[in-house]
Amino acid sequence: MRAIPPGAKGSFALVVAPEHLASRFKDAILPPVLATPIMVLVMENAALNAIRDFLEPGESALGTVVDVRHLAATPVGQRVTAEAEVTHVEGRRIVFAVTARDEVEEIGRGTHERTVIDLRRLTQRLDAKAGRQRRD
């Protein structure tokens, strides 16, 4: 992993489709607004985009902590854009400030952490775990 500087920024955008609504994604009793897990997905993708250019071949970065508030509802058809900024790096752990906006207002804000991982090692661990599950 190359050094990731505090202040590195990334963004990600998504147009809210029917499958992104809480009433479809989670439960029909909910209103037809952007589901919180989809807002988090947009924020996580922004964070990954902030550090993508610093990852070496064979590396990735998995989300490990999400601490966000969903502040406002967003209807279908609106474009949601998330921004992420690296605020702290400690070894392989990266902390981000994240925000999300729809076309009218800020809809979410918080922090997110990712850990840089070696994909080969992860694959080996997952293979071993899958093998243990099959035997049980």
Side-chain angles (χ1 to χ4, degrees):
M1 170 180 97
R2 295 192 301 262
I4 298 172
K9 294 180 180 180
S11 64
F12 185 83
L14 173 87
V15 175
V16 179
E19 62 267 20
H20 302 135
L21 300 178
S23 57
R24 271 268 196 72
F25 182 73
K26 292 165 66 176
D27 193 301
I29 196 171
L30 296 170
V33 297
L34 178 69
T36 301
I38 301 299
M39 182 188 74
V40 170
L41 174 140
V42 175
M43 291 171 155
E44 286 198 65
N45 284 346
L48 185 57
N49 285 341
I51 61 170
R52 184 179 302 277
D53 291 342
F54 300 97
L55 299 174
E56 298 289 348
E59 289 181 330
S60 188
L62 297 177
T64 55
V65 176
V66 176
D67 183 9
V68 298
R69 294 180 96 92
H70 197 161
L71 304 170
T74 303
V76 71
Q78 288 260 318
R79 181 180 185 86
V80 171
T81 303
E83 303 285 336
E85 181 175 351
V86 174
T87 59
H88 182 75
V89 178
E90 184 178 309
R92 294 183 158 296
R93 183 177 144 260
I94 304 129
V95 181
F96 303 85
V98 291
T99 60
R101 295 187 60 81
D102 62 20
E103 296 173 24
V104 176
E105 62 191 331
E106 182 175 88
I107 63 166
R109 168 176 295 278
T111 59
H112 174 49
E113 293 183 23
R114 298 188 81 78
T115 299
V116 176
I117 56 110
D118 178 287
L119 288 169
R120 186 178 46 90
R121 286 184 58 211
L122 176 65
T123 299
Q124 290 170 347
R125 289 185 67 181
L126 292 174
D127 288 347
K129 191 175 195 177
R132 280 195 298 272
Q133 286 176 341
R134 281 193 287 271
R135 283 185 248 125
D136 290 344

